[in-house]
């Protein structure tokens, strides 16, 4: 397996990550900009949505969509996520490769220009965003925040994060807050846009056969960025807390049929890259796969649930365990999940288990580059890392892990928060 | 001997191979140059709608409890010795399975040890092992799966719609059944269904990615056990063209109302052709896609948000066009959609709009050919529905405005539509 990622610094805080290949029928370009997750979160959160639905040239989404339809159904997507305590604003375009054009046009070039128009030449008049656009996107974002409640798994996970990290920036929602979004104005959003392009850390990912044009992309981006003063870049730090104090226990009630249990742990690391391979294997053996402790015991042996799994949020150094259970089984499930963590800490697993986990994780990593979306996601999640790693680099780290290291990792894990979303009491 | 046919498409510059294997199984191999991973799927033409069946060597239909196909899917992973997940753990593949309305599929994807994983797949799907005790254990797990879906508003709004549209067709029942219906399932039920539907003549295997015909055939020749040439017959369901009721609502814990508006179709033939499917996709874009007038109008009135969308929902013996999303006023949105369809029927479709949408969907179809997961899944579907996978690109190239207008007039009948709403509790 060959590393095809070509990463270069275009300028201070601007990285281009180019992946050249002929094996896809499509090309893809994404702009990713990271800023600290903080009090301005709502304004930054609305930007990718505003930027991906119009620009100076195509001033409403119908015009833009007609243009995209002409470009063989190219797809523009705006989104926002968080990685550790950074908020990442993303706008991407996905298009068919030039060889499928029905005439001789270069779809890639036109799509790249269009993407830059969206980000750098938005629908702005007299130094403010269009107020109709702003009103519409505010409504969308408010409804999106409200609708997080619809998916009870996501909602319970969000609530546990919020409670566990209430004094840390990580407790904030990447979409901002209802109050924050309501207060946004065409002016304040314009200020946020300027600050995003002046201070944000950028990574531009390019995937496809047209990747040969990385020079073209570099030139386009350089030219557009020259209009912005990028002297004072932001720094992206995440506060990683090594150990939990006492266990917080919180229960919410909603009119639902199945309870959702979320247990939040501190992973016992002090920075994002510490002990990475062993920690990945530990979380996988604990609850990441069908051969894991949680699946084999809480689901298969005890029939308590349909799902019970653990997940590592490496950039923040936390581990979340999630399960959907009957409320009356809550204590039983908590006890068993604790028992299984204890088993990991006691080293109750063997070389065979370790081999399974290494094989599973390695296999997954090696599949990353078989879709343009996978390549793009691999690239952007490293925006906050100084040193870019390829999937091959991580495969090496994981292959070198041994049982003792996994056991040592497990010993450092401490329980921080137990969150339960339960049924509302029946009305009398 | 097995019969091997290469199917080529010049535009895509891709080929796949269709093999009529001597065991009775249809096998597809779609090699993808320079890919690291491989995806394999082994499916049977048997899903949740098959609540009654008859084989070609018997003359009576047999009824089975709702949710049996899905239950069987869960249980097939077990064997007398090592269960399939434990075996896959050695190869590193990610394995899974799913049951839909008319299919049950077992799959894995991997970047290493493909041959070993394919051996596991062919082996465990051909060797069931059910006991009273293991069946009982699964009732708790699936019971929780059913409960989980009861809280998923998107799922409930769809099934409420199907119950409002269909009187008899089993598409109206939940794929996993109910806690009560799965309690009736025994190891014998599972063996009866297995022996009927998991006949290789009723199944397909598709492999796409970093692979070739030789390595797949070597394993298939060794592991596939010839099935008796028995065909399964689905009963003809006497589903009236009329609907049950035109409105249904339920309260759940959601932030804002959710709706599904469905138009029930009546067809003589139980299977929809690829051309009908593609005409419908074009129509849905024209009526309510992001470039449509209706979309713009509903947005500017604050009646929809980005969750708004539409789909063609079809399978053996059922077909419905569904519009759905979140809205503060479901009845108002439904009114707008119906009005727009009426307008299109009266005024016809603008040729420029048609060409724009056709070009867009043609591009999106090509985009779909990147993805080995999607390709393997579609090969299995194309086998059960009886078309060639590459036909999709060709149909988009040849389809005309008249085809789409004819479909519009035949497909949407306001009298056979229903609105399903979930309100915040």
């Amino acid at each position: 397996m060959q590393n095809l990622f070509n990463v270069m610094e275009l300028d201070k805080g601007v990285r281009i990550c180019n992946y050249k290949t002929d094996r896809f029928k499509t090309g893809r370009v994404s702009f990713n900009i990271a800023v600290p997750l903080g009090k301005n979160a709502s304004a930054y959160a609305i930007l990718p949505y505003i930027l991906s639905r119009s620009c100076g040239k195509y001033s409403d989404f119908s015009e833009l969509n007609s243009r995209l339809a002409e470009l063989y159904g190219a797809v523009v997507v705006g989104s926002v996520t968080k990685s550790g305590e950074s908020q990442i604003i993303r706008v991407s375009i996905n298009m068919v490769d030039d060889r499928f054009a029905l005439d001789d046009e270069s779809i890639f070039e036109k799509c790249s220009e269009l993407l830059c128009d969206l980000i750098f030449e938005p629908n702005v008049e007299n130094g403010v965003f269009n107020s109709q656009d702003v009103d519409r996107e505010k409504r969308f974002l408010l409804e999106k925040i409200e609708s997080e409640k619809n998916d009870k798994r996501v909602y319970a996970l969000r609530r546990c994060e919020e409670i566990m990290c209430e004094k840390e920036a990580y407790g904030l929602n990447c979409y901002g807050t209802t109050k924050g979004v309501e207060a946004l104005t065409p002016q304040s959003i314009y200020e946020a846009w300027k600050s995003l392009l002046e201070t944000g850390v950028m990574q531009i990912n390019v995937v496809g056969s047209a990747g040969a044009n990385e020079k073209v992309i570099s030139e386009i981006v350089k030219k557009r960025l020259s209009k912005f003063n990028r002297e004072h870049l932001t720094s992206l730090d995440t506060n990683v807390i090594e150990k939990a104090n006492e266990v917080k226990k919180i229960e919410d009630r909603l009119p639902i049929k199945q309870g959702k249990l979320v247990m939040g742990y501190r992973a016992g690391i002090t920075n994002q890259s510490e002990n990475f391979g062993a920690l990945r294997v530990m979380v996988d053996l604990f609850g990441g796969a069908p051969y894991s402790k949680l699946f084999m015991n809480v689901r298969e042996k005890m029939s308590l649930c349909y799902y019970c799994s653990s997940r590592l949020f490496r950039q923040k150094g936390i581990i979340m365990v999630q399960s959907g259970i009957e409320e009356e089984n809550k204590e039983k499930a908590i006890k068993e999940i604790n028992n299984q963590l204890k088993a990991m800490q006691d080293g109750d697993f063997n070389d065979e288990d370790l081999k399974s986990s290494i094989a599973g994780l390695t296999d997954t990593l090696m599949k990353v580059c078989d879709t343009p979306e996978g390549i793009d996601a691999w690239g952007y999640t490293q925006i906050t890392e100084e040193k870019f790693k390829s999937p091959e680099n991580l495969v090496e780290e994981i292959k070198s892990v041994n049982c003792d290291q996994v056991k040592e990792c497990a010993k450092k894990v401490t329980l921080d928060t137990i969150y339960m979303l339960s049924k509302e009491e029946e009305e009398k | 001997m097995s019969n091997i046919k290469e199917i080529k498409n010049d535009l895509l510059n891709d080929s796949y191979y269709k093999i009529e294997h001597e065991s009775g199984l249809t096998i597809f191999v779609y090699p993808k140059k320079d890919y690291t991973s491989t995806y394999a799927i082994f499916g049977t033409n048997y899903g949740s709608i098959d609540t009654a069946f008859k084989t070609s060597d018997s003359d009576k239909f047999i009824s089975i409890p709702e949710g049996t196909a899905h239950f069987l899917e869960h249980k097939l992973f077990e064997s007398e010795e090592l269960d399939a997940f434990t075996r896959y753990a050695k190869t590193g593949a990610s394995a899974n399975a799913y049951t839909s309305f008319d299919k049950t599929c077992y799959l894995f994807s991997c970047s290493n040890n493909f041959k070993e994983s394919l051996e596991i797949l062919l082996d465990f799907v051909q060797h069931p092992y059910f006991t009273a005790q293991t069946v009982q254990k699964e009732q708790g797990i699936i019971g929780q799966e059913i409960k989980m879906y009861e809280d998923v508003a998107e799922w409930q709004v769809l099934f409420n719609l199907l119950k409002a549209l269909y009187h008899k067709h089993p598409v109206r029942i939940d794929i996993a059944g109910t806690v009560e219906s799965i309690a009736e399932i025994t190891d014998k039920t599972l063996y009866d269904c297995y022996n009927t539907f998991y006949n290789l003549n009723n199944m397909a295997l598709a492999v796409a990615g970093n692979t070739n015909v030789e390595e797949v055939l070597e394993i298939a020749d060794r592991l596939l056990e010839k099935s008796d040439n028995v065909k399964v017959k689905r009963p003809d369901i006497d589903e009236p063209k009329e609907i049950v009721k035109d409105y249904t609502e339920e309260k759940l814990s959601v932030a804002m109302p959710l709706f599904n508006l469905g138009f029930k179709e009546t067809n003589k033939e139980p299977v929809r052709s690829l051309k009908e499917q593609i005409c419908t996709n074009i129509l849905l874009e024209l009526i309510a896609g992001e470039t449509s007038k209706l979309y713009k109008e509903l947005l500017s009135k604050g009646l929809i948000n980005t969750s708004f969308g539409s789909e063609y929902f079809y399978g053996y013996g059922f077909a419905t066009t569904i519009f759905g999303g979140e809205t503060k006023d479901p009845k108002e949105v439904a009114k707008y959609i119906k009005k727009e369809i009426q307008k299109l029927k009266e005024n016809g479709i603008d040729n420029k709009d048609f060409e724009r949408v056709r070009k867009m969907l043609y591009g999106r179809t090509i985009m779909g050919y990147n993805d080995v997961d999607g390709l393997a899944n579609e090969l299995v579907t194309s086998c059960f529905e009886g078309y060639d996978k590459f036909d999709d690109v060709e149909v988009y190239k040849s389809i005309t405005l008249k085809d789409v207008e004819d479909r519009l007039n035949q497909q949407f009948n306001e009298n056979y539509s229903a609105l399903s709403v979930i309100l915040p509790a």
Side-chain angles (χ1 to χ4, degrees):
Chain A
M1 189 185 172
Q2 193 192 352
N3 173 20
L4 294 173
F5 282 98
N6 179 16
V7 180
M8 56 180 226
E9 299 295 319
L10 184 67
D11 199 352
K12 210 173 67 176
V14 185
R15 181 152 77 182
I16 293 204
C17 173
N18 186 47
Y19 191 100
K20 188 177 166 184
T21 174
D22 282 331
R23 69 172 169 277
F24 301 127
K25 314 280 183 214
T26 58
R28 185 178 176 88
V29 184
S30 75
F31 261 83
N32 308 278
I33 311 176
V35 287
L37 185 61
K39 59 180 193 313
N40 229 353
S42 303
Y44 286 131
I46 205 168
L47 279 172
Y49 303 107
I50 290 199
L51 297 179
S52 61
R53 266 191 281 270
S54 69
C55 61
K57 213 164 171 182
Y58 305 101
S59 64
D60 79 8
F61 67 87
S62 295
E63 282 176 41
L64 176 64
N65 278 323
S66 296
R67 176 65 184 147
L68 289 168
E70 278 170 27
L71 291 166
Y72 299 87
V75 183
V76 169
V77 178
S79 61
V80 57
T81 58
K82 71 178 172 189
S83 170
E85 288 170 350
S86 297
Q87 191 182 14
I88 305 176
I89 284 68
R90 278 166 61 69
V91 185
S92 67
I93 190 160
N94 206 15
M95 79 292 292
V96 295
D97 193 79
D98 288 349
R99 63 185 185 276
F100 300 107
L102 295 172
D103 44 36
D104 286 336
E105 54 194 331
S106 168
I107 308 170
F108 178 82
E109 228 173 281
K110 286 180 180 163
C111 285
S112 302
E113 285 285 355
L114 176 61
L115 183 65
C116 285
D117 284 342
L118 294 175
I119 292 160
F120 294 103
E121 316 281 344
N123 190 12
V124 165
E125 266 175 61
N126 306 322
V128 296
F129 275 91
N130 175 290
S131 67
Q132 267 177 323
D133 287 0
V134 167
D135 288 344
R136 186 188 64 233
E137 295 305 328
K138 275 172 72 172
R139 174 170 75 83
F140 284 175
L141 191 55
L142 286 169
E143 290 176 2
K144 200 189 265 292
I145 293 171
E146 287 297 306
S147 295
E148 277 195 307
K149 192 172 129 187
N150 294 6
D151 187 334
K152 301 299 175 290
R153 270 170 95 156
V154 173
Y155 179 74
L157 182 70
R158 272 288 313 135
R159 283 287 293 141
C160 187
E161 261 176 26
E162 197 173 84
I163 294 157
M164 181 168 167
C165 304
E166 62 176 329
K167 296 192 178 116
E168 300 149 62
Y170 195 77
L172 293 172
N173 191 331
C174 70
Y175 297 127
T177 60
T178 302
K179 244 174 118 181
V181 175
E182 278 168 354
L184 293 176
T185 63
Q187 177 87 45
S188 66
I189 296 170
Y190 179 79
E191 296 300 330
W193 172 74
K194 242 181 99 194
S195 135
L196 183 76
L197 293 181
E198 285 179 352
T199 68
V201 172
M202 296 189 184
Q203 182 170 312
I204 298 129
N205 297 333
V206 184
V207 186
S209 63
N213 283 339
E214 67 190 85
K215 286 208 185 80
V216 178
I217 287 262
S218 305
E219 285 313 308
I220 299 176
V221 173
K222 252 189 190 162
K223 211 167 93 194
R224 308 250 186 172
L225 271 179
S226 66
K227 292 180 194 155
F228 295 86
N229 173 6
R230 286 183 52 85
E231 303 247 304
H232 306 286
L233 292 189
T234 183
S235 63
L236 302 167
D237 301 310
T238 291
N239 174 18
V240 178
I241 292 175
E242 192 180 359
K243 259 196 172 76
N245 294 321
E246 68 207 81
V247 180
K248 281 182 248 179
K249 292 180 187 168
I250 302 273
E251 186 162 1
D252 284 339
R253 292 192 179 272
L254 282 175
I256 50 173
K257 309 262 168 30
Q258 183 187 60
K260 307 283 182 221
L261 172 68
V262 187
M263 294 169 71
Y265 298 84
R266 303 284 176 179
I269 53 173
T270 53
N271 70 65
Q272 302 182 350
S273 42
E274 187 179 315
N275 227 349
F276 174 63
L279 192 55
R280 268 291 268 270
V281 172
M282 195 282 287
V283 175
D284 187 59
L285 278 178
F286 178 37
Y291 47 74
S292 69
K293 297 263 178 222
L294 294 182
F295 188 92
M296 303 262 270
N297 292 287
V298 187
R299 172 176 147 141
E300 292 295 305
K301 213 173 264 172
M302 301 176 75
S303 295
L304 286 180
C305 59
Y306 173 62
Y307 69 92
C308 183
S309 61
S310 62
R311 196 169 147 197
L312 171 66
F313 294 82
R314 177 174 64 88
Q315 282 89 353
K316 178 62 187 169
I318 60 178
I319 297 165
M320 295 290 198
V321 169
Q322 292 176 270
S323 187
I325 53 169
E326 288 297 313
E327 215 171 310
E328 69 243 32
N329 290 328
K330 178 183 162 190
E331 293 310 321
K332 226 196 258 178
I334 293 174
K335 196 173 153 211
E336 189 57 20
I337 293 166
N338 282 330
N339 285 343
Q340 294 309 321
L341 179 63
K342 179 81 181 13
M344 292 298 302
Q345 293 168 335
D346 292 343
D348 182 15
F349 50 87
N350 56 33
D351 281 337
E352 279 305 300
D353 299 327
L354 181 76
K355 261 197 228 156
S356 295
S357 178
I358 291 176
L361 291 170
T362 304
D363 205 275
T364 305
L365 281 167
M366 288 175 67
K367 280 186 290 210
V368 161
C369 296
D370 269 359
T371 61
E373 295 75 16
I375 293 168
D376 185 22
W378 182 266
Y380 97 78
T381 47
Q382 297 194 61
I383 188 168
T384 59
E385 324 260 332
E386 270 178 42
K387 196 173 172 309
F388 188 92
K389 286 181 181 171
S390 68
E392 296 78 8
N393 297 142
L394 284 195
V395 166
E396 290 316 310
E397 275 183 51
I398 281 168
K399 279 187 172 164
S400 70
V401 170
N402 63 43
C403 283
D404 279 342
Q405 289 171 318
V406 174
K407 186 176 152 185
E408 288 313 308
C409 263
K411 279 184 176 167
K412 290 186 193 158
V413 173
T414 49
L415 180 59
D416 188 295
T417 302
I418 299 175
Y419 174 79
M420 181 82 189
L421 183 60
S422 303
K423 259 179 252 182
E424 256 169 16
E425 313 280 339
E426 297 283 324
E427 278 173 43
K428 300 265 156 66
Chain B
M1 267 308 283
S2 300
N3 171 22
I4 307 177
K5 199 168 112 194
E6 181 181 1
I7 299 164
K8 256 190 177 167
N9 185 283
D10 291 337
L11 172 83
L12 295 164
N13 195 22
D14 275 6
S15 285
Y16 69 84
Y17 299 84
K18 183 176 181 181
I19 302 153
E20 301 294 352
H21 194 260
E22 54 195 336
S23 59
L25 183 67
T26 305
I27 303 174
F28 298 91
V29 181
Y30 196 139
K32 279 288 215 175
K33 198 172 154 274
D34 296 332
Y35 274 60
T36 309
S37 62
T38 312
Y39 183 100
I41 175 165
F42 194 5
T44 166
N45 197 0
Y46 164 49
S48 67
I49 60 167
D50 296 297
T51 51
F53 64 85
K54 165 176 120 58
T55 50
S56 53
D57 54 0
S58 105
D59 45 36
K60 233 178 49 206
F61 276 100
I62 302 166
S63 291
I64 43 179
E66 295 175 358
T68 305
H70 173 258
F71 205 100
L72 208 170
E73 172 227 300
H74 271 238
K75 290 324 296 169
L76 203 53
F77 279 88
E78 281 174 13
S79 90
E80 206 168 349
E81 288 143 22
L82 288 179
D83 71 67
F85 278 129
T86 312
R87 295 171 70 190
Y88 279 125
K90 304 271 173 291
T91 70
S94 343
N96 212 335
Y98 66 84
T99 306
S100 68
F101 291 99
D102 51 11
K103 280 198 296 286
T104 312
C105 297
Y106 303 82
L107 56 100
F108 71 85
S109 82
C110 68
S111 40
N112 292 303
N113 308 318
F114 164 68
K115 288 190 200 171
E116 290 79 357
S117 293
L118 185 61
E119 285 172 4
I120 297 169
L121 178 67
L122 297 192
D123 182 52
F124 90 84
V125 174
Q126 289 187 96
H127 297 105
Y129 176 71
F130 314 125
T131 66
Q133 198 195 355
T134 60
V135 166
Q136 199 196 352
K137 182 204 87 178
E138 209 66 22
Q139 275 154 350
I141 297 173
I142 296 180
Q144 285 309 311
E145 190 179 358
I146 293 170
K147 278 255 171 115
M148 179 176 86
Y149 280 107
E150 286 176 9
D151 284 326
V152 178
E154 288 86 355
W155 191 254
Q156 294 309 318
V157 77
L158 172 66
F159 277 92
N160 292 347
L161 173 73
L162 295 172
K163 286 190 180 80
L165 290 174
Y166 290 92
H167 293 264
K168 293 180 180 164
H169 196 289
V171 70
R172 65 198 301 282
I173 59 168
D174 198 305
I175 289 175
T178 61
V179 172
E180 294 74 36
S181 76
I182 64 170
E184 293 168 28
I185 295 172
T186 64
D187 46 335
K188 183 176 177 308
T189 327
L190 296 183
Y191 275 117
D192 285 347
C193 290
Y194 180 87
N195 291 329
T196 306
F197 291 106
Y198 286 68
N199 179 306
L200 292 180
N201 295 284
N202 194 47
M203 299 178 78
L205 169 71
V207 183
N210 180 13
T211 184
N212 58 57
V213 172
E214 291 69 35
E215 69 175 355
V216 173
L217 266 189
E218 188 275 315
I219 294 164
D221 288 346
R222 193 154 39 84
L223 292 185
L224 291 176
E225 296 155 22
K226 192 170 172 44
S227 288
D228 297 335
N229 193 5
V230 177
K231 294 269 186 288
V232 193
K233 172 126 181 57
R234 286 182 159 132
D236 293 319
I237 292 156
D238 183 24
E239 173 66 37
K241 61 178 189 254
E242 289 79 19
I243 55 169
V244 181
K245 53 182 173 181
D246 61 8
Y247 182 77
T248 171
E249 70 174 40
E250 187 188 343
K251 285 190 173 151
L252 281 177
S253 162
V254 291
M256 137 181 223
L258 235 78
F259 80 98
N260 265 192
L261 171 68
F263 292 82
K264 178 181 177 181
E265 247 180 79
T266 40
N267 297 290
K268 282 205 189 81
E269 293 299 317
V271 179
R272 307 279 48 80
S273 73
L274 187 64
K275 191 172 167 186
E276 284 173 305
Q277 296 171 31
I278 286 175
C279 283
T280 304
N281 291 341
I282 292 178
L283 278 174
L284 289 178
E285 280 300 323
L286 284 166
I287 297 166
E290 291 188 5
T291 57
S292 68
K293 290 185 199 80
L294 176 69
Y295 188 84
K296 191 173 178 177
E297 189 174 6
L298 290 173
L299 267 192
S300 68
K301 291 206 161 17
L303 280 170
I304 57 168
N305 60 26
T306 46
S307 68
F308 181 71
S310 61
E311 72 161 315
Y312 190 35
F313 177 88
Y314 63 91
Y316 193 89
F318 62 92
T320 293
T321 331
I322 302 175
F323 301 86
E326 295 169 357
T327 176
K328 59 186 182 193
D329 192 346
K331 286 180 181 162
E332 191 66 12
V333 176
K335 218 193 281 172
Y336 270 100
I337 295 170
K338 288 179 182 171
K339 211 171 76 191
E340 181 65 20
I341 292 170
Q342 200 47 44
K343 228 162 62 189
L344 274 181
K345 278 184 179 175
E346 282 162 15
N347 305 342
I349 295 164
D350 185 276
N351 192 49
K352 239 174 64 191
D353 291 342
F354 166 72
E355 285 302 336
R356 187 189 65 235
V357 166
R358 183 164 77 122
K359 194 173 175 189
M360 175 179 110
L361 292 178
Y362 161 78
R364 301 252 168 104
T365 304
I366 291 172
M367 289 180 186
Y369 278 87
N370 274 343
D371 175 17
V372 291
D373 307 20
L375 286 175
N377 275 283
E378 283 167 38
L379 283 167
V380 169
T381 305
S382 71
C383 177
F384 295 157
E385 292 182 12
Y387 61 88
D388 277 332
K389 170 68 190 119
F390 288 142
D391 288 351
D392 55 8
V393 199
E394 299 308 319
V395 173
Y396 273 113
K397 283 207 306 202
S398 65
I399 210 150
T400 65
L401 178 59
K402 178 155 185 316
D403 295 331
V404 175
E405 282 183 334
D406 288 349
R407 183 90 180 119
L408 171 67
N409 289 317
Q410 167 222 346
Q411 189 168 21
F412 294 92
N413 189 332
E414 218 178 284
N415 297 326
Y416 306 139
S417 73
L419 177 64
S420 161
V421 173
I422 301 287
L423 294 170

